[in-house]
Amino acid sequence: MVDTAAHDRILILDFGSQVTQLIARRVREGGVYSEIWPYDRADTAALAGFAPRGIILSGGPASVTGSATPRAPDAVFAAGVPVLGICYGQQTMCHQLGGRVEGDDHREFGRAEVSVTADARLFGADWPVGGRQTVWMSHGDRVVALPDGFRTIAVSDGAPFAAIADEARGFYGVQFHPEVAHTPGGRALLQRFTHEICGCRGDWTMAQFRSEAVAAIRRQVGGDRVILGLSGGVDSAVAAVLLHEAIGAQLTCIFVDHGLLRDGEAAQVVDLFRGHYNIPLVHIDATDRFLDLLAGVDDPETKRKRIGATFIEVFDGEAAKIGGVRFLAQGTLYPDVIESVSVVGGPSVTIKSHHNVGGLPERMNLALVEPLRELFKDEVRALGRELGLPDDMIGRHPFPGPGLAIRIPGEVTADKLAILRKADRIYLEELRTAGLYDEIWQAFAVLLPVRTVGVMGDSRSYDYVCALRAVTSTDGMTADFYPLPHDLLGRIATRIVNQVAGINRVVYDVTAKPPGTIEWE
Ligand code: XMP
């Protein structure tokens, strides 16, 4: 792991907000390394060990007015570094330092306007006195009396203390959420906090990370051999190229091609990694094996389980053939390792763990190398660009492990896969031509196990229905359908029906998640 202590660091204490990760991403976009900890982990020793340049207290769903709700450890206010409280963070800071917070009838949710009433280092020239700023609010409680030393620097209709400051101690609080895109001036505000007030240098860049990660991988791996499963996705691709830069031929990539990838993807993986980067690559074309085990199976869970178990079996078999392997590399990202806080119903901490090839490290007695563990997805993409990976691989939409099998409801056959691949290729091509691909979180075609009647030329057709899906999302947990222009949808439908034998009707999925899911199975 990269030694982040060499960088100026900001600590974010999580009180359970839905958008805590956005705070960390915004801070890092400003070139400052930040970590998210559960709020109660920041005792004196832990803070001294981490030595943050500043601390940000996140929002959260609880009410400070409740007796058993979370509080920032006292060590936070005694650490001698600036503190920024956001929403619940502002309220608990006020409450703990001697102010007062009350429940309120005048709730503010969504867009609001704040007026800047006084000069403050937090605002600088970006938020001038007398100006109004659009912000995003989400609060029921509000601060009604300030602790000693604080003054008001901005107000809104629902929050007389929309922003507050104790400049002597470097303590600031904002009732709104500067981390979300709906607060247009929020990024500048967070950067003023991290750079001007905390004095961070902005030394966290992907160029810097690249050289530090290479050194860290060499330290961890020494002269031993490493294997890595390539999937065609951006995370494993970036991990592979970074590892190869660090340890060259000590890395072997294994690409289990289950025959459920999109058009041309398997060939691209082989060409890029073996051909362009010259990375030792074992390419197993296991298409027949996967199609055999999917024959006659139409239950979605059975399909998923069979694909998952066989994938591991094949990977395992190939890995065992490569002698002397000590490490398994994975493209685990920072969101996979953040300890999540559940504040409602009592603090409980769960740690998500992520194993792309579950069970393998233990079975083969392998240690893990996770060179992307400190990074968010947008940082992985920036690192990928830094490493020269092609744009179409870096910007690729997420793709599920079971691949096209879960986009063919019911039984999967070679014929259906061929039909779906053609339709999907046309769809994605049109989205790219229209310049919409990068605005969409995920877009794909689904081949429905339904035949309908159509008329083509002078004859009657009886073919499959193709459903198109395109969604916006930030994390795949919730999503909304993307409002594709009707003329574009019409063009795509015409091309698919004319050019893909086997499909005679195209429909567009306008379901949000929840209640729908992104995939159809
Ligand atoms: P759903 O369909 O649950 O999808 O709304 C949320 C996100 O997860 C992806 N997904 C999967 N990824 N194995 C995976 O690796 C799976 O079995 C799987 N199912 C869904 C989906 O593509 C979306 O990004």
Side-chain angles (χ1 to χ4, degrees), residues 1 21 36 41 332-340 350-354 370 372-375:
M1 289 226 294
Q21 285 194 22
I36 299 171
R41 196 173 128 199
T332 311
L333 304 191
Y334 187 49
D336 302 321
V337 297
I338 295 172
E339 295 176 43
S340 52
T350 45
I351 299 173
K352 285 188 272 173
S353 75
H354 173 99
E370 297 177 311
L372 311 180
R373 236 182 120 80
E374 285 99 0
L375 304 187

Side-chain angles (χ1 to χ4, degrees), residues 304 398 400-402 406-407 441-442 476 513 517-519:
R304 262 206 176 73
I406 59 171
R407 295 176 180 175
W441 164 266
Q442 233 173 329
K513 171 184 182 178
T517 51
I518 294 175
E519 303 289 347

Side-chain angles (χ1 to χ4, degrees), residues 57-310:
L57 310 177
S58 86
S63 169
V64 173
T65 57
S67 58
T69 51
R71 301 283 177 262
D74 291 337
V76 166
F77 304 112
V81 297
V83 180
L84 171 66
I86 296 176
C87 195
Y88 185 87
Q90 181 207 31
Q91 293 164 8
T92 198
M93 178 162 75
C94 278
H95 177 85
Q96 292 180 244
L97 298 180
R100 212 170 69 247
V101 176
E102 283 180 359
D104 185 20
D105 292 338
H106 192 127
R107 293 156 173 253
E108 276 183 308
F109 288 101
R111 198 186 134 96
E113 296 269 313
V114 299
S115 304
V116 176
T117 53
D119 249 343
R121 289 182 74 201
L122 186 64
F123 291 155
D126 301 315
W127 288 44
V129 179
R132 284 172 78 78
Q133 297 282 336
T134 300
V135 299
W136 193 72
M137 294 269 193
S138 176
H139 67 108
D141 296 348
R142 63 177 179 176
V143 172
V144 292
L146 292 181
D148 286 347
F150 278 84
R151 66 196 170 90
T152 304
I153 54 175
V155 301
S156 75
D157 286 347
F161 303 102
I164 58 173
D166 175 345
E167 306 248 36
R169 285 187 285 182
F171 292 171
Y172 298 87
V174 291
Q175 182 55 70
F176 53 86
H177 288 267
E179 68 274 31
V180 303
H182 302 88
T183 300
R187 186 187 303 252
L189 188 145
L190 285 169
Q191 275 203 31
R192 289 196 67 80
F193 179 71
T194 55
H195 288 68
E196 313 300 326
I197 295 168
C198 301
C200 296
R201 285 166 292 179
D203 56 359
W204 180 253
T205 64
M206 285 305 107
Q208 182 74 19
F209 178 87
R210 175 184 182 172
S211 59
E212 289 175 27
V214 162
I217 292 166
R218 288 184 184 145
R219 264 196 316 274
Q220 184 187 0
V221 168
D224 285 313
R225 296 187 72 91
V226 181
I227 50 168
L228 174 138
L230 271 182
S231 68
V234 60
D235 305 340
S236 63
V238 171
V241 178
L242 184 65
L243 277 151
H244 183 67
E245 182 163 294
I247 57 170
Q250 285 165 251
L251 170 74
T252 303
C253 290
I254 301 177
F255 171 39
V256 177
D257 179 0
H258 52 22
L260 304 166
L261 294 175
R262 285 166 291 198
D263 195 37
E265 242 171 354
Q268 191 198 12
V269 169
V270 176
D271 288 351
L272 184 66
F273 293 95
R274 190 186 283 156
H276 178 74
Y277 282 108
N278 205 15
I279 298 177
L281 173 69
V282 181
H283 174 205
I284 311 299
D285 183 355
T287 306
D288 293 342
R289 182 164 170 186
F290 278 85
L291 277 178
D292 282 351
L293 69 94
L294 290 171
V297 181
D298 58 12
D299 174 61
E301 268 320 291
T302 313
K303 280 160 73 172
R304 262 206 176 73
K305 286 204 177 105
R306 287 195 183 181
I307 294 168
T310 307

